[in-house]
Amino acid sequence: MCCCHIFQQQLRMPLSVHAEAERTPVWLMRQAGRYMKAFREYSDKYSFRERSETTDIALKLSLQPWEAFQPDGVIMFSDILTPLPALGIEFDVIKGRGPIIEIPIRSMEQVQALTPLEDPQKKLPFVQETLSGIRSEVGNQATVLGFVGTPWTLAAYCVEGRADKHCTKTKTMMAKNPAVLHALLSHLTSNIADYVCYQIEAGAQVVQLFDSWAHHLNPSQFATFSLPYVEEVIQRVRTRHPDTPIIFHANGGTGKHHLMKTSTANVIGLDWRCDMALARQTLEDRPVQGNVDPTVLLGPQDGIAQAVQDCMEAAGSQGHILNVGDGVTPNIPEENVAYFVRMATQQAHSRNMTESDMAVAVC
């Protein structure tokens, strides 16, 4: 049995019976980003949607960090809002302001007027082309990751119309018109599930669900307005693609790990704000991903090496994907990202690989 299959077998068993893993897979959230000079050559010239919706550009940007650093996962360059226009919700990404939805969703009539995804190949052809292109380029040398936003996060964007540190309009809807919010969440859930399946059929071997705005929810709200809809997405996907691993990452998951433990996702993503060892205690035998503070990559390389070592020791050598606990920021030096990946692969329970361990790590 090859090593990647041994690793897969280990992660299908409770951690208590795992043998020592030979390799901890590593990749980084916001892996393709402005911290790379080669990326900025495109971001300085083209708008975000031009870059993410033009196959040749999206493919090049997706592959840049893999070619430079050789992480175990290659994530598609895209955005969690990408499927929204296919549902009748237009958006743009304004430099210096972020995503903007000019006509926010604020009423039941607007929710009822939304369209289904139906034919993603027709509405979002560049997603299929980008993922299949990545898969063709990396072969078995790395795992291809797709991703989506969770229903809660997308709903909050749709209601707010832009990033809001207090999420006031969505919280007001939650309190005064919860039926509207639940209707929006339901519509997004079924269509996000279809979008995940489309990504898998296009070549994604692992899909991450980003609950980027989970930090706006207290545990009770999370249990009502996020987690059940995430679970429905997972179950809908599992009906069609039972063997594709799913990672559930909640930004602001600290204080909610006891709830996230109930998720049937293959891996629970941990942000940098939590203690890895304590999260492991709460989540028990659940495989995890994370959770180095990305700002550590702003500092000296000995600090990066220590952070990698501390995280991997706290997580243990089984059921762990090393990652940063949030996206790589534009001011992080490229050489420090390279060093982070290199240090991860040189830890005590790592080895040289000829095949990807990423996909099997999350099975």
Side-chain angles (χ1 to χ4, degrees), residues 35-36 38 63-71 334 337-338 341-342:
Y35 71 95
M36 294 191 72
L63 291 171
Q64 282 177 350
W66 180 69
E67 292 168 344
F69 316 125
Q70 293 291 297
E334 282 185 58
V337 174
V341 175
R342 189 162 67 249

Side-chain angles (χ1 to χ4, degrees), residues 72-83:
D72 297 309
V74 181
I75 191 165
M76 167 181 66
F77 175 70
S78 186
D79 192 82
I80 60 173
L81 303 187
T82 291

Side-chain angles (χ1 to χ4, degrees), residues 130-190:
T130 301
L131 282 167
S132 63
I134 298 170
R135 186 78 178 269
S136 177
E137 287 291 329
V138 305
N140 290 326
Q141 299 177 74
T143 292
V144 177
L145 292 103
F147 70 93
V148 297
T150 63
W152 157 253
T153 288
L154 293 184
Y157 260 115
C158 291
V159 174
E160 298 296 329
R162 64 198 66 206
D164 184 288
K165 65 180 181 179
H166 299 298
C167 210
T168 52
K169 294 179 176 63
T170 315
K171 289 293 193 73
T172 300
M173 181 183 287
M174 185 186 295
K176 293 184 175 181
N177 297 295
V180 177
L181 183 54
H182 281 296
L184 178 57
L185 287 164
S186 294
H187 183 83
L188 290 169
T189 295
S190 59

Side-chain angles (χ1 to χ4, degrees), residues 3 31 37 39 41 44 70 84 106 115 168 216 225 239 246 252 274 284 319 322 325 336 338 356 358 361:
C3 291
Q31 192 163 266
K37 180 181 178 181
F39 183 97
E41 292 175 1
D44 291 344
Q70 293 291 297
L84 292 185
R106 304 277 171 80
T115 57
T168 52
H216 287 295
F225 293 97
T239 298
I246 295 173
C274 73
E284 295 179 341
L322 183 70
N336 284 359
S356 167
M358 179 72 172

Side-chain angles (χ1 to χ4, degrees), residues 247-318:
I247 303 169
F248 174 32
H249 176 86
N251 180 42
T254 302
K256 306 177 181 82
H257 292 155
H258 64 294
L259 297 170
M260 295 177 71
K261 180 182 174 181
T262 67
S263 169
T264 60
N266 299 81
V267 175
I268 302 300
L270 302 175
D271 70 20
W272 61 269
R273 298 167 186 84
C274 73
D275 181 274
M276 173 62 79
L278 292 177
R280 274 295 212 186
Q281 291 177 19
T282 301
L283 295 166
E284 295 179 341
D285 63 348
R286 302 303 305 279
V288 297
Q289 175 178 273
N291 70 329
V292 174
D293 181 348
T295 63
V296 168
L297 276 65
L298 291 168
Q301 292 188 345
D302 57 349
I304 297 171
Q306 188 64 55
V308 168
Q309 181 178 342
D310 290 347
C311 182
M312 293 178 70
E313 287 181 354
S317 59
Q318 307 91 27

Side-chain angles (χ1 to χ4, degrees), residues 3 30 36 96 108 120 138 147 199 207 220 224 229 242:
C3 291
R30 207 175 296 131
M36 294 191 72
M108 186 65 80
V138 305
F147 70 93
Q199 292 189 22
V207 177
S220 176
T224 301
Y229 294 100

